[in-house]
Amino acid sequence: LCKRGNLKQALQVLSQEPNPTQRTYELLIFSCTDRHSLSDGVRVHRHLSDDGSNQDPFLATKLIDMYSEMDSVEDARKVFDEIRERTIYVWNALFRALTLAGEGLEVLDLYRQMNLTRVKSDRFTYTFVLKACVASEGLVELLNKGKEIHAHILRHGYETNVHIMTTLVDMYAKFGRVASAAHVFNEMPVRNVVSWSAIVSCYAKNGKPFEALELFLEMMLAKTESFPSPVTMVSVLQACTALAALEQGKLVHGYILRRGLDSILPVINALVTMYGRCGKLEQGQRVFDQMKQRDVVTWNSLISMYGIHGFGNKAIQVFEEMIASGVAPSPISFISVLGACSHAGLVEEGKKLFNSMAKDHGMYPTAEHYACMVDLLGRANRLDEAAKIVADMRIEPGPLVWGALLGSCRIHCNVELAERASRRLFELEPTNAGNYVLLADIYAKNDMHRELKRLKKQLKSRALQKVPGRSWIEVKRKLYSFMSVDEFNPHTEQLHALLFRLSTEMKEKGYVPQTDVVLYDLSDEDKERIVLGHSEKLAVAFGLINTSHGEPIRITKNLRLCEDCHSFTKLISKFAEKEILVRDVNRYHHFQNGVCSCGDYW
């Protein structure tokens, strides 16, 4: 009856069965789970309790699994509380149920209680409790619990278990502890495709895309028992996206087609994003058009693609097409389309979209949405309106909102508002040197030397350091990385010589280095030398030497493009007759014939 789906009839027969066996109850529990019928599950549980079978550890485990599948973790906990003989299988079943429900803290508390009994952990226990460390979102202090469990694993000789060690890699990755994850991975005597996927994902999601791609190549050369999973391919595409590594991305696309992964939605969504952020809008649109199935993430990828390239009206058009197709926008849809409006200076359109969130879609703006509006108004030099948005917010303005306001003040040199935003940011993010640097730029541009000196003293006394500029360029399917101060790069001397020659020639044609971005007390000549060594200029020089005529130069920068690099690259594109694409932390800059696609609005 259960196998035929006649659960109601099976339950009627159960009431007439004088001696139900363990197998009887197991079939009924499986059937309740399969039909997702909580009421029938409770009925079977009641029958178990009536004849004492609820004390059977095997059946208790099955009941906990059933309740977990039906998202009824309270009932699962009742089963656990009722049983007197708690085997490791019963403990594991509850650990799994609570972890899936996001109750990581409760799992770790129960794990501590279990360790006080004579029940010994097995390989499943360790994987569940490690996952519990990251199940409770935002609880960074649980990292120490994870480290304790790691020590427990080593003490009990489980360091050779590939499943446990892979979960450990994943746990460290989710806390952003890349070095710890790499150490665990490197010490693993046996690795499988899941282990490789975990470490590639670790690097890709923690701001190390260069290393992620290197590891993926190593993974492809390693003899693993199976092929990379769709999850791995998404991580690899994200790494290509972060580096604007178009040629690498094309190779990955080819691999996806060969392995038949092109029907998996998250993989294709990542492909649309990759092409868009590598500057190939036509290819991104083509992948989108060929998709048989689309979700809101797909549409968001397309909206964002047009937005970062400055095509605000096109992004709005895609947003409207998404709604017309019956796909409801998500909060990220609004972040993407408002960001697009900001890059294109579409103030009124952005305000209309922002107001439609609550009015038409029943969605209350988050800090990210308010930050987009502040950025939109601030870039357009409507700073009073931006400040009013902050003052009228329904929620507490966080670092994102105050950071957007400070960034706008930097563009338009508004000292009063910048100081107000900075005071809040210094309280909210005391270790973020970037906020101090932005305010210092504003002081420098306004010739406020005394304030600048005071701010630099604060930076020094707090031992804060600005994130160093880093740029990547892909040439002949190989990635090269440049740092603003890079003593170890073998190409540096040759590149500096080329940049010096180009700078000298361009000065004769009107180029004036913008040295106000250098905050040190140095001579103008020394300041010029520093701006000439910025990482994106080194990458441009490398591209000029190593690319053929007519081949575009594609560069990714980890920070905002500075004003001097922007004007320098515009002139290079004209005098070297070269198409140069630079993606900074905010948007895409497409330089051609002395003009940038951003229209100097960034």
Side-chain angles (χ1 to χ4, degrees), residues 233-527:
M233 301 319 296
V234 169
S235 295
V236 173
L237 285 169
Q238 286 170 344
C240 294
T241 300
L243 296 166
L246 177 63
E247 294 306 316
Q248 297 278 343
K250 284 180 178 177
L251 288 173
V252 174
H253 189 178
Y255 181 82
I256 286 164
L257 293 172
R258 286 196 302 277
R259 300 302 314 162
L261 300 173
D262 54 323
S263 60
I264 297 166
L265 200 53
V267 174
I268 305 304
N269 289 344
L271 260 179
V272 173
T273 303
M274 185 275 292
Y275 278 118
R277 294 195 174 236
C278 288
K280 299 295 283 185
L281 278 74
E282 308 86 358
Q283 186 64 32
Q285 182 71 59
R286 193 176 303 129
V287 172
F288 177 88
D289 291 340
Q290 290 170 353
M291 291 174 73
K292 294 182 178 68
Q293 181 189 0
R294 298 173 188 139
D295 62 6
V296 70
V297 178
T298 319
W299 287 97
N300 290 347
S301 299
L302 200 66
I303 295 164
S304 176
M305 178 179 89
Y306 286 112
I308 63 164
H309 284 272
F311 297 113
N313 285 314
K314 179 65 178 174
I316 294 170
Q317 182 191 324
V318 173
F319 179 81
E320 289 169 348
E321 284 173 12
M322 174 183 75
I323 294 170
S325 73
V327 176
S330 68
I332 291 172
S333 307
F334 281 99
I335 291 169
S336 300
V337 76
L338 289 171
C341 292
S342 182
H343 292 313
L346 302 173
V347 177
E348 295 309 316
E349 292 87 340
K351 287 168 77 173
K352 185 179 173 185
L353 284 162
F354 182 77
N355 292 332
S356 76
M357 283 184 71
K359 184 181 170 186
D360 300 332
H361 302 282
M363 207 181 291
Y364 289 109
T366 65
E368 286 93 337
H369 300 111
Y370 281 111
C372 288
M373 281 307 295
V374 169
D375 187 62
L376 171 69
L377 294 163
R379 281 177 193 270
N381 202 13
R382 291 163 70 162
L383 288 165
D384 288 341
E385 284 182 65
K388 189 174 186 309
I389 286 257
V390 178
D392 294 346
M393 277 177 66
R394 298 163 55 99
I395 56 175
E396 186 67 28
L400 279 174
V401 176
W402 289 113
L405 189 60
L406 180 59
S408 299
C409 293
R410 179 188 179 278
I411 296 168
H412 302 292
C413 295
N414 187 312
V415 176
E416 185 186 343
L417 207 50
E419 287 180 332
R420 181 181 151 202
S422 297
R423 278 194 295 273
R424 292 293 295 121
L425 283 166
F426 295 163
E427 290 170 15
L428 293 165
E429 299 180 315
T431 59
N432 186 345
N435 297 325
Y436 290 86
V437 172
L438 279 174
L439 183 59
D441 281 350
I442 295 165
Y443 284 150
K445 285 179 180 177
N446 284 278
D447 296 322
M448 298 172 71
H449 302 295
R450 190 169 61 184
E451 288 82 355
L452 180 60
K453 195 172 180 180
R454 173 179 54 78
L455 194 63
K456 281 174 9 187
K457 268 187 182 177
Q458 276 183 273
L459 260 172
K460 194 173 180 182
S461 67
R462 295 178 187 185
L464 299 176
Q465 288 191 328
K466 182 188 170 189
V467 175
R470 189 179 181 189
S471 295
W472 294 268
I473 182 171
E474 185 185 35
V475 175
K476 296 178 177 65
R477 293 182 177 173
K478 191 175 177 185
L479 287 159
Y480 299 86
S481 172
F482 297 93
M483 300 280 281
S484 292
V485 181
D486 200 340
E487 305 268 320
F488 307 104
N489 197 305
H491 309 284
T492 302
E493 196 174 324
Q494 181 190 14
L495 300 179
H496 276 298
L498 174 60
L499 287 169
F500 182 77
R501 180 167 64 81
L502 289 169
S503 176
T504 305
E505 288 176 12
M506 289 196 302
K507 278 180 185 175
E508 293 170 7
K509 295 172 181 175
Y511 166 60
V512 179
Q514 297 181 46
T515 56
D516 56 352
V517 297
V518 181
L519 303 177
Y520 304 109
D521 294 323
L522 299 167
S523 66
D524 287 344
E525 190 179 330
D526 286 335
K527 285 184 177 182

Side-chain angles (χ1 to χ4, degrees), residues 471 483-484 496 499 517-518 529-539 557 562 564-565:
S471 295
M483 300 280 281
S484 292
H496 276 298
L499 287 169
V517 297
V518 181
R529 186 175 53 79
I530 287 172
V531 295
L532 204 58
H534 279 187
S535 66
E536 56 269 44
K537 288 196 186 80
L538 293 170
K557 174 81 191 284
C562 82
D564 184 67
C565 286

Side-chain angles (χ1 to χ4, degrees), residues 98-344:
L98 291 169
T99 300
L100 289 172
E103 300 291 342
L105 284 171
E106 191 175 352
V107 172
L108 294 168
D109 185 52
L110 284 165
Y111 177 63
R112 183 183 57 78
Q113 291 177 38
M114 189 191 88
N115 285 332
L116 297 174
T117 70
R118 291 183 179 180
V119 178
K120 288 184 179 178
S121 302
D122 65 8
R123 71 182 183 91
F124 296 105
T125 315
Y126 288 122
T127 55
F128 294 141
V129 293
L130 284 170
K131 286 175 181 176
C133 292
V134 290
S136 297
E137 293 289 329
L139 294 173
V140 180
E141 62 268 23
L142 290 182
L143 173 63
N144 289 329
K145 291 285 183 188
K147 288 179 178 177
E148 286 175 24
I149 295 161
H150 186 177
H152 208 275
I153 288 163
L154 298 178
R155 279 200 305 274
H156 290 83
Y158 279 94
E159 67 270 21
T160 58
N161 186 288
V162 67
H163 302 289
I164 293 173
M165 301 316 280
T166 300
T167 311
L168 196 55
V169 169
D170 201 45
M171 186 273 292
Y172 280 123
K174 282 174 178 163
F175 281 114
R177 296 296 192 269
V178 179
S180 299
H183 175 75
V184 173
F185 180 80
N186 292 333
E187 293 294 314
M188 288 174 71
V190 180
R191 297 166 186 159
N192 60 17
V193 70
V194 184
S195 319
W196 281 100
S197 297
I199 195 67
V200 169
S201 175
C202 169
Y203 279 106
K205 287 181 167 59
N206 284 290
K208 294 184 180 290
F210 196 85
E211 293 84 350
L213 284 181
E214 284 183 331
L215 268 167
F216 177 66
L217 181 61
E218 195 181 328
M219 173 187 179
M220 296 302 285
L221 296 171
K223 290 180 179 177
T224 53
E225 77 284 3
S226 56
F227 297 102
S229 67
V231 175
T232 314
M233 301 319 296
V234 169
S235 295
V236 173
L237 285 169
Q238 286 170 344
C240 294
T241 300
L243 296 166
L246 177 63
E247 294 306 316
Q248 297 278 343
K250 284 180 178 177
L251 288 173
V252 174
H253 189 178
Y255 181 82
I256 286 164
L257 293 172
R258 286 196 302 277
R259 300 302 314 162
L261 300 173
D262 54 323
S263 60
I264 297 166
L265 200 53
V267 174
I268 305 304
N269 289 344
L271 260 179
V272 173
T273 303
M274 185 275 292
Y275 278 118
R277 294 195 174 236
C278 288
K280 299 295 283 185
L281 278 74
E282 308 86 358
Q283 186 64 32
Q285 182 71 59
R286 193 176 303 129
V287 172
F288 177 88
D289 291 340
Q290 290 170 353
M291 291 174 73
K292 294 182 178 68
Q293 181 189 0
R294 298 173 188 139
D295 62 6
V296 70
V297 178
T298 319
W299 287 97
N300 290 347
S301 299
L302 200 66
I303 295 164
S304 176
M305 178 179 89
Y306 286 112
I308 63 164
H309 284 272
F311 297 113
N313 285 314
K314 179 65 178 174
I316 294 170
Q317 182 191 324
V318 173
F319 179 81
E320 289 169 348
E321 284 173 12
M322 174 183 75
I323 294 170
S325 73
V327 176
S330 68
I332 291 172
S333 307
F334 281 99
I335 291 169
S336 300
V337 76
L338 289 171
C341 292
S342 182
H343 292 313

